[in-house]
Amino acid sequence: MAFDKDRLNRIGEWMQSYVDRDRFAGCSVLVAQAGQEVYFNATGKRDLETGKPFERDTIARIYSMTKPITSVAIMMLAERGLFHLDAPVSDFIPGFSNMECLVPGATDISQTEACQTPTLHHLLTHTSGLSYPFNPGVTAKAMEEADILFRADQGSLADMTDRVARLPLAFPPGTRWEYSVSIDVLGRVVEIVSGHTLEDFLVSEILGPLGMDDTRFSVPQAGTDRFAALYTPLAGSAYALNDAKPAEPVLRCVDRPEKSPFLKAQMHSGGGGLVGTIDDYLKFTEMLRTGGAGLVSPKTLDFMMRNHLPGDIASMGPASFAEQPMEGMGFGLGGAVVMNPGRVRVPSSIGDFSWGGMASTFFWVDPVLDLSVVFFTQLAPSSSYPARPQLKALIHGAMK
């Protein structure tokens, strides 16, 4: 199917409306079909204070769009026969031995019982029993109190992973779906198995071979002038997902580019630590779309981008935040998979593979329409506005 150019131009109008209403300071969209660019647009500012425009080479925090990259790293190691996905994570990180989980209805972190240690597959699919501090629940609250979030300024991956292991799981592994720090834990597994830091492994095995030269855990020295500011519409924390208090002004800067911890990240967060450009990320999505680009087998990618849950995400009783809808949406290894577009209630193709980041970035690969789409902006939290379903509707509406 081809695109109607007049209808594609609606995307630019929609982007400008977000900027004009102070929803986004700036944003960009890149669309490719069958490997050919069919649309690009950027508008607004990457930094409202300096007036610098949001451009094609703007470097942005991709947060949880790091997760699919780390998941590919895990599968590259699995392809080499170094482990299997049903291996318990305690085989690599002993702190996860003798696990405990909360008893049903627990109201206190001490109310636990013995449970299975989560496997690598549980971690890849967010069914491990781990959580995030911004989720509801007892374990999430304990994480918040202990400041466990794998931020760029939070020290070493090894130490933070050990701190996670000391908390009880929110539920027995495999019984529920809950968005979590599990991919950060897998980043530590990559380090242990490969014998390299996570960044060194990603650079040598994925980012370097794909030419993703602006994508790193720290902003590249040559890119500091292109690094965007991060904004929130909330008066409190940008990670307070249920905080309805509006900011004044509407866009409040919460991470200045010249002072950001991403200039020299201490933490290599496999779940949310990378920064990069929109063209860099398109190279990664094109690798997914075309079958691995020689980095990973097409069969392995096909395995990753199919649903690994018994049903859709909603059927597994999540109470957590997620970067995607839950009804009609399954979950593969590192990303969501559309099972039923009608239930998702967003124009989609069956098999769309996607995920987003906390700063409202988003990507999807459509195997039916042969599309790769990447959206960049810098607004946290990503639950602020329905930009993602609107963009999908615009792109499907532009096809003839």
Side-chain angles (χ1 to χ4, degrees):
M1 296 180 71
F3 281 96
D4 182 306
K5 289 187 178 181
D6 290 336
R7 286 174 171 254
L8 273 176
N9 288 335
R10 294 173 179 173
I11 298 172
E13 296 168 2
W14 167 79
M15 293 166 67
Q16 191 61 48
S17 76
Y18 263 73
V19 170
D20 291 344
R21 289 179 289 170
D22 292 326
R23 290 187 165 190
F24 295 149
C27 53
S28 59
V29 172
L30 181 54
V31 183
Q33 185 176 38
Q36 299 298 311
E37 181 178 320
V38 295
Y39 184 81
F40 172 79
N41 186 54
T43 189
K45 309 295 183 185
R46 67 174 179 265
D47 189 333
L48 293 173
E49 183 175 299
T50 65
K52 293 176 180 177
F54 205 103
E55 296 175 310
R56 186 158 187 155
D57 64 354
T58 292
I59 294 176
R61 303 154 192 79
I62 66 170
Y63 287 122
S64 287
M65 279 166 57
T66 306
K67 288 180 170 70
I69 297 175
T70 303
S71 299
V72 168
I74 281 286
M75 295 309 298
M76 292 172 77
L77 295 171
E79 276 191 343
R80 299 170 192 177
L82 299 175
F83 49 70
H84 60 97
L85 297 188
D86 280 335
V89 68
S90 54
D91 282 0
F92 314 94
I93 307 172
F96 282 96
S97 302
N98 305 314
M99 290 303 296
E100 298 271 322
C101 68
L102 297 174
V103 299
T107 57
D108 186 86
I109 199 70
S110 65
Q111 297 171 324
T112 65
E113 60 187 5
C115 69
Q116 172 192 358
T117 295
T119 66
L120 301 183
H121 190 264
H122 289 140
L123 293 166
L124 283 163
T125 57
H126 294 294
T127 59
S128 64
L130 298 176
S131 191
Y132 261 126
F134 47 71
N135 285 331
V138 174
T139 295
K141 183 178 179 182
M143 293 180 72
E144 182 180 23
E145 291 171 350
D147 195 23
I148 296 174
L149 192 55
F150 293 86
R151 292 194 314 267
D153 61 353
Q154 281 194 305
S156 79
L157 179 56
D159 289 346
M160 187 63 71
T161 301
D162 286 341
R163 290 174 61 190
V164 171
R166 289 195 285 270
L167 290 176
L169 301 175
F171 51 85
T175 61
R176 280 173 43 197
W177 190 94
E178 184 157 317
Y179 197 38
S180 76
V181 297
S182 61
I183 311 298
D184 288 290
V185 174
L186 287 173
R188 179 59 183 149
V189 172
V190 170
E191 292 190 330
I192 292 167
V193 173
S194 71
H196 299 281
T197 67
L198 181 59
E199 180 163 54
D200 285 348
F201 184 87
L202 294 184
V203 170
S204 64
E205 301 281 353
I206 300 175
L207 306 178
L210 290 178
M212 297 171 66
D213 297 331
D214 280 326
T215 302
R216 298 291 187 270
F217 287 111
S218 297
V219 179
Q221 191 71 36
T224 54
D225 189 54
R226 295 181 280 124
F227 188 37
L230 176 67
Y231 297 91
T232 184
L234 303 181
S237 168
Y239 302 101
L241 305 184
N242 300 311
D243 188 346
K245 299 174 185 174
E248 186 60 48
V250 177
L251 288 171
R252 183 171 63 89
C253 186
V254 288
D255 189 19
R256 291 290 313 150
E258 70 276 7
K259 298 178 181 179
S260 174
F262 286 100
L263 294 176
K264 192 171 183 179
Q266 301 173 40
M267 172 72 68
H268 292 172
S269 165
L274 290 174
V275 300
T277 62
I278 197 167
D279 277 287
D280 269 12
Y281 209 86
L282 185 74
K283 293 172 184 176
F284 178 74
T285 63
E286 281 291 280
M287 181 275 290
L288 297 177
R289 185 188 66 83
T290 59
L295 305 183
V296 66
S297 162
K299 293 293 185 183
T300 297
L301 282 181
D302 180 68
F303 173 73
M304 290 182 68
M305 295 193 289
R306 64 177 59 232
N307 183 35
H308 283 242
L309 306 180
D312 63 4
I313 298 174
S315 71
M316 296 196 71
S320 70
F321 168 81
E323 293 286 355
Q324 280 280 37
M326 297 186 183
E327 292 186 2
M329 188 77 78
F331 200 84
L333 304 184
V337 183
V338 171
M339 300 168 61
N340 184 335
R343 294 296 296 159
V344 175
R345 296 185 294 280
V346 179
S348 309
S349 297
I350 293 173
D352 277 8
F353 184 78
S354 62
W355 205 240
M358 184 61 77
S360 304
T361 57
F362 182 51
F363 87 93
W364 80 91
V365 175
D366 185 326
V368 176
L369 300 176
D370 218 11
L371 291 177
S372 290
V373 182
V374 187
F375 175 75
F376 266 27
T377 189
Q378 292 287 267
L379 185 90
S382 58
S383 54
S384 301
Y385 305 111
R388 295 166 180 174
Q390 289 172 350
L391 179 59
K392 289 200 84 171
L394 282 159
I395 288 180
H396 275 256
M399 304 203 81
K400 57 184 180 180

